Amino acid sequence: MLEQFIELKTRQLIYYASRYFRGRLPHRELHLFIWDTLEEWAQFGIQLKTPQNQQEQVFWHLLHQLEFWPEQQLKNDPILQHNIQSCLSYLRGNGSIPLDCVGIRP
């Protein structure tokens, strides 16, 4: 069940983040998706903070980055955008795990 949740939410995260960075999704919609995902996660009641695998690690890292940084920084910081695109690429199955990717479960 947990693996299915991460797999489904990873596909959705790719969709939402990609649309956001192409200018096809407002920031508030991305924000709502993230909080809906966190609410669904909370229903699992998992206490272990360590992700099961690298995909889950990158998933949590990317979710945190998208929620942590203000919209202006997400849109205007080329280094942050590069890091986010590296995470998205990895989650799509392209490339290796991004450097400095520290994702933990909430």
Side-chain angles (χ1 to χ4, degrees):
M1 190 73 172
L2 172 64
E3 292 160 2
Q4 293 168 335
F5 174 84
I6 295 298
E7 187 65 37
L8 172 65
K9 292 301 175 180
T10 295
R11 288 192 308 268
Q12 291 175 349
L13 180 59
I14 292 167
Y15 174 80
Y16 276 84
S18 297
R19 288 185 53 86
Y20 171 74
F21 284 105
R22 284 186 298 223
R24 296 186 177 170
L25 185 79
H27 185 260
R28 76 179 149 67
E29 291 295 323
L30 179 63
H31 173 76
L32 288 173
F33 163 74
I34 291 169
W35 280 98
D36 286 347
T37 299
L38 292 172
E39 285 180 21
E40 290 176 46
W41 175 257
Q43 293 176 12
F44 281 103
I46 296 174
Q47 301 299 315
L48 186 62
K49 298 286 186 192
T50 305
Q52 284 186 301
N53 56 42
Q54 289 181 330
Q55 177 189 356
E56 185 182 352
Q57 179 180 348
V58 174
F59 169 81
W60 290 120
H61 176 80
L62 180 56
L63 204 70
H64 177 265
Q65 295 298 305
L66 293 171
E67 187 59 24
F68 178 79
W69 296 107
E71 182 176 12
Q72 289 301 329
Q73 192 129 5
L74 288 172
K75 290 198 173 212
N76 298 318
D77 185 329
I79 294 171
L80 178 59
Q81 287 180 353
H82 175 75
N83 291 339
I84 289 170
Q85 292 303 323
S86 294
C87 289
L88 287 169
S89 180
Y90 176 79
L91 291 175
R92 286 185 188 107
N94 304 321
S96 57
I97 190 166
L99 297 175
D100 299 328
C101 180
V102 182
I104 59 171
R105 293 174 175 170

